[in-house]
Amino acid sequence: SMQGLKSLVPTESPGPDAIFGTSKPGLPATDTFLGTNKVPDLQKVFQRSDGLPVHLKRGYPDRMLYRTTMALTIGGTFYCLVALYIASQPK
């Protein structure tokens, strides 16, 4: 008999749970999803024509994240410019 390398590809195809992750280990096959579908609610929020950009549609938390990001960006730019100015001064 010939001996050689073993095939790395499995000879059996995995079940649909292994491919799509439709159930969790240890749960019966009937309990495939344990939550509610939030997509329709989020579609209503993001498709509403209220003149707001999409990154500010969800209200106060989005505004705070946006303002924090802008403050860090402006502060970082100012810090870099000051550091470059100080580094360019003769000693």
Side-chain angles (χ1 to χ4, degrees), residues 1 4 11 18 29 38 45 47 54 56 61 65 67 77 80 90:
S1 78
T11 56
K38 297 179 184 177
V45 169
Q47 291 178 353
V54 74
L56 296 176
L65 283 171
R67 290 176 182 169
T77 302
C80 287

Side-chain angles (χ1 to χ4, degrees), residues 6-7 10-12 25 30 43 47 49 54 62 66 68 74 81 84 89:
K6 292 183 180 180
S7 173
T11 56
E12 297 176 7
T30 57
Q43 284 177 339
Q47 291 178 353
S49 61
V54 74
D62 285 347
Y66 178 76
T68 302
I74 292 168
L81 291 174
L84 285 172
Q89 297 300 312

Side-chain angles (χ1 to χ4, degrees), residues 3-87:
Q3 291 183 349
L5 297 175
K6 292 183 180 180
S7 173
L8 294 177
V9 180
T11 56
E12 297 176 7
S13 64
D17 292 343
I19 296 172
F20 298 109
T22 56
S23 66
K24 295 183 180 180
L27 294 176
T30 57
D31 295 338
T32 57
F33 188 67
L34 299 175
T36 59
N37 188 4
K38 297 179 184 177
V39 172
D41 297 332
L42 291 175
Q43 284 177 339
K44 289 177 187 174
V45 169
F46 287 111
Q47 291 178 353
R48 187 172 48 219
S49 61
D50 53 4
L52 288 174
V54 74
H55 60 275
L56 296 176
K57 288 267 187 184
R58 294 195 318 170
Y60 184 74
D62 285 347
R63 284 196 306 265
M64 290 307 297
L65 283 171
Y66 178 76
R67 290 176 182 169
T68 302
T69 302
M70 287 298 109
L72 288 171
T73 302
I74 292 168
T77 302
F78 181 73
Y79 176 80
C80 287
L81 291 174
V82 169
L84 285 172
Y85 175 75
I86 291 173

